Amino acid sequence: VQLQASGGGLVQAGDSLRLSCTASSRTVDNYGVGWFRQAPGKGREFVSSISWNGNRIYYTDSVKGRFTISRDNAVHTVSLQMNNLVPEDTAVYYCAVHRTSYITGSYAYWSEENNYAIWGRGTQVTVSS
């Protein structure tokens, strides 16, 4: 399975972007997917995750109310709608497939990057002030 993240770009504060993570195989439809980001000079951090059935969703606090994760298993795609972007959102964004098909689990479980088995190439998001 290969993942392709797309939709990044250069925008101004307050603008919106929609990132997409498309898989090469329908296998991903049976697994959770997460979005992570890495800002310059910083470690990779969890942004959001969604279970395979869309019923369990988590967000990191800094994006709650601004970002929305969703998935369309018919086209093997997970999207991240990002509204009201701020300069602190500037980072390379990565999507990743979870190791399990669990639809339960705590925030700590879903936000742990070691629980993700397959990673796509990132897409750059730059937000200017």
Side-chain angles (χ1 to χ4, degrees):
V1 177
Q2 293 183 330
L3 300 177
Q4 178 66 52
S6 62
L10 171 62
V11 297
Q12 294 185 333
D15 286 350
S16 298
L17 282 175
R18 186 176 182 87
L19 304 185
S20 293
C21 175
T22 302
S24 61
S25 166
R26 65 175 59 186
T27 302
V28 74
D29 301 343
N30 299 318
Y31 293 87
V33 172
W35 283 97
F36 292 76
R37 66 187 179 185
Q38 187 166 18
K42 295 186 177 180
R44 192 157 53 189
E45 68 166 346
F46 172 79
V47 177
S48 180
S49 63
I50 186 168
S51 58
W52 71 266
N53 61 357
N55 285 352
R56 187 161 292 265
I57 289 174
Y58 288 110
Y59 299 99
T60 191
D61 285 346
S62 63
V63 308
K64 285 180 180 177
R66 301 189 297 120
F67 290 13
T68 302
I69 192 170
S70 61
R71 67 187 300 160
D72 184 348
N73 288 341
V75 291
H76 324 311
T77 297
V78 174
S79 298
L80 186 68
Q81 177 66 40
M82 307 188 296
N83 297 329
N84 194 22
L85 285 160
V86 298
E88 291 73 26
D89 294 321
T90 295
V92 178
Y93 284 70
Y94 300 89
C95 59
V97 178
H98 203 273
R99 295 184 182 277
T100 73
S101 301
Y102 293 163
I103 56 173
T104 57
S106 66
Y107 175 89
Y109 175 76
W110 282 91
S111 64
E112 171 55 55
E113 67 176 87
N114 289 330
N115 288 333
Y116 291 83
I118 301 171
W119 292 79
R121 291 185 178 181
T123 184
Q124 176 72 47
V125 172
T126 303
V127 185
S128 64
S129 59

